[in-house]
Amino acid sequence: MKNYKKHMLWIGMLSTMVFVFKMSAQPLHQTANNENNTFSSQSKQTCIWGNDFLTPRVEFRDFDGSTVGSQVFNQVIPNAENYMKQRCLDVAKILYRNSADAPKFRLLKFNLKNEDFVAHKFGDGDQMTIEVSTQHLAKIYRDSGNNSQVIKDEIDGILFHEVTHGYNYSPSTGGTYDGSSPFWAYTEGIADGVRIYAGFHQTRTPDVNNSRKWLGGYTTTGFFLQYVTQKYDKNFIYKFNKAAKDLGNSWSFDNAFKDILGKGVETVWDEYKNYINNGNTLDYDGDYPWNLDCGGSNGDLIDITNDGGTVSSQYNDSPSNEGISKLIDNTINSKYLTFNASAWVQYKASTSYILSSYTLSSANDAPERDPKNWTLQGSTNGNSWQNIDQRSNQDFPNRHQKRSFTVNTSTAYKYYRLSMANNSGTILQVAEVELFGKEKKHTTTSYSRF
């Protein structure tokens, strides 16, 4: 636990693997070999942070240079530009799992000014300017008994909140930035959620009595997101941010929560309120006993369909813009469609994985085309199969709705097969499929020569 007190600042802030989705009772050995209904996901990547991440240019200017606030700032953050670039990366790694996905936030200007205000920011899109008062920094320095750490913490808090605005996805619906809409509550709530998660809002406490509940914005929404992160899913903020893009015009707080947790937002808020009112506390010092999931060498969960493999389909009858490639293109705004009530698709990955969960997303229209019943199977050789998960009478109440399903297996299969049947009619469609798991760890065997 960190032993210093953080001061707050209010500021508008997944060898070869084959994956076969068999959407009917077709022979399990059947495979697709038509060139036109095969698609390689070679352009997709596992969770990697590297050259795809655009480190923004940082322009730091100290317009003061002489007062206590300025002097202590330069003492605790001697290389401000590099420090702020690192904070930009820190924020992006909370919101994303792949550097290629992070928006190209290009320019951050940070100014210190000897003026009578606290802090403010302006600019939007891929550029922003943050200005902080050295008079304010001097005051919190004196009030802390000349503890210089409070200035560093204050700057960190500002950066985590404001830089989030430079990187987070924004909903395409839900109103505007008007101080009260769901869009506004999301915008300021996720920014404070990132700041709280990082450990730089320790002087604030949860407010569960706000009449606007999860739409209160800033810390009201931010602490609620921290509760969900702590109690439900350590990667919730990442998923919540992703849902703002994936759900498209069907986005709402409620749909996002149902998509991620399978529970409506009001239900979770009531749980949160009871939790706090019963004397429980949240952990938000930034020093957690777990790390965010990020695939790669650390073996954490990745979306297997992002590993550069090949997806193919049983039938080559899809419309030109609704082919098999759309099944794993990382957006629910496209879809795979076949003029058959049942069908299978196949994914060939780059190595073997132990599956932990999978998701299916409904398409934009015609609920009768949604999958209703399915069995997920795994195989080590592509011939003999073991059941992993079975579902029946499933429903997708909303269009562009992603549903997640957890599985329990310790076997690293090379092949996965999902048999599905639609609700009714002669057409089957699915917007997106994701597989989440860990790469099989290979052991080295020593051989003795005789």
Side-chain angles (χ1 to χ4, degrees), residues 358 360 371-375 390-391 394 405 418-420:
Y358 63 99
L360 299 178
K372 179 180 181 181
N373 306 314
W374 61 80
T375 298
Q390 291 182 303
R391 306 279 170 165
Q394 296 300 305
F405 305 91
L418 185 63
S419 302
M420 295 196 294

Side-chain angles (χ1 to χ4, degrees), residues 58-77:
V58 175
E59 296 179 2
F60 170 70
R61 297 186 66 182
D62 185 352
F63 290 94
D64 181 350
S66 60
T67 67
V68 171
S70 169
Q71 292 172 359
V72 178
F73 175 96
N74 286 285
Q75 173 190 335
V76 297
I77 308 179

Side-chain angles (χ1 to χ4, degrees), residues 343-415:
W344 57 256
V345 298
Q346 173 176 297
Y347 182 77
K348 181 179 181 180
S350 63
T351 189
S352 298
Y353 298 88
I354 299 173
L355 192 69
S356 295
S357 64
Y358 63 99
T359 73
L360 299 178
S361 296
S362 61
N364 62 311
D365 60 3
E368 69 274 9
R369 302 173 184 174
D370 292 341
K372 179 180 181 181
N373 306 314
W374 61 80
T375 298
L376 178 63
Q377 297 175 304
S379 173
T380 59
N381 57 18
N383 296 313
S384 58
W385 298 87
Q386 300 295 322
N387 287 354
I388 298 174
D389 192 45
Q390 291 182 303
R391 306 279 170 165
S392 60
N393 296 317
Q394 296 300 305
D395 185 29
F396 292 80
N398 300 310
R399 299 302 81 206
H400 289 151
Q401 178 181 358
K402 180 191 294 184
R403 296 189 57 198
S404 300
F405 305 91
T406 301
V407 301
N408 185 16
T409 180
S410 59
T411 304
Y413 293 110
K414 291 183 178 181
Y415 308 82

Side-chain angles (χ1 to χ4, degrees), residues 157-213:
I158 294 170
L159 289 171
F160 272 99
H161 181 111
E162 291 298 344
V163 169
T164 296
H165 291 319
Y167 284 111
N168 69 269
Y169 288 134
S170 292
S172 59
T173 188
T176 61
Y177 190 87
D178 58 2
S180 62
S181 70
F183 178 94
W184 171 84
Y186 167 91
T187 301
E188 296 302 345
I190 197 171
D192 257 9
V194 169
R195 178 175 179 168
I196 290 165
Y197 170 81
F200 296 101
H201 235 336
Q202 293 192 40
T203 63
R204 304 290 294 184
T205 56
D207 176 13
V208 296
N209 297 312
N210 189 307
S211 62
R212 292 185 49 75
K213 300 180 180 181

Side-chain angles (χ1 to χ4, degrees), residues 47 294-300 439 441:
C47 181
C294 189
S297 60
N298 62 5
D300 283 331
E439 183 176 349
K441 294 185 179 297

Side-chain angles (χ1 to χ4, degrees), residues 69-137:
S70 169
Q71 292 172 359
V72 178
F73 175 96
N74 286 285
Q75 173 190 335
V76 297
I77 308 179
N79 192 329
E81 293 183 355
N82 285 346
Y83 187 85
M84 294 175 188
K85 288 180 180 180
Q86 180 60 49
R87 283 299 182 237
C88 290
L89 178 60
D90 293 338
V91 169
K93 283 187 172 183
I94 295 173
L95 294 171
Y96 300 94
R97 296 295 174 269
N98 192 320
S99 55
D101 295 334
K104 305 306 183 185
F105 177 44
R106 300 181 181 279
L107 176 62
L108 170 63
K109 295 182 179 181
F110 195 102
N111 300 326
L112 292 180
K113 290 189 173 181
N114 184 13
E115 297 177 9
D116 187 16
F117 66 102
V118 176
H120 52 244
K121 75 103 176 177
F122 49 90
D124 209 348
D126 62 357
Q127 301 184 26
M128 73 169 61
T129 299
I130 301 173
E131 295 189 333
V132 178
S133 166
T134 53
Q135 294 181 27
H136 166 67
L137 296 181

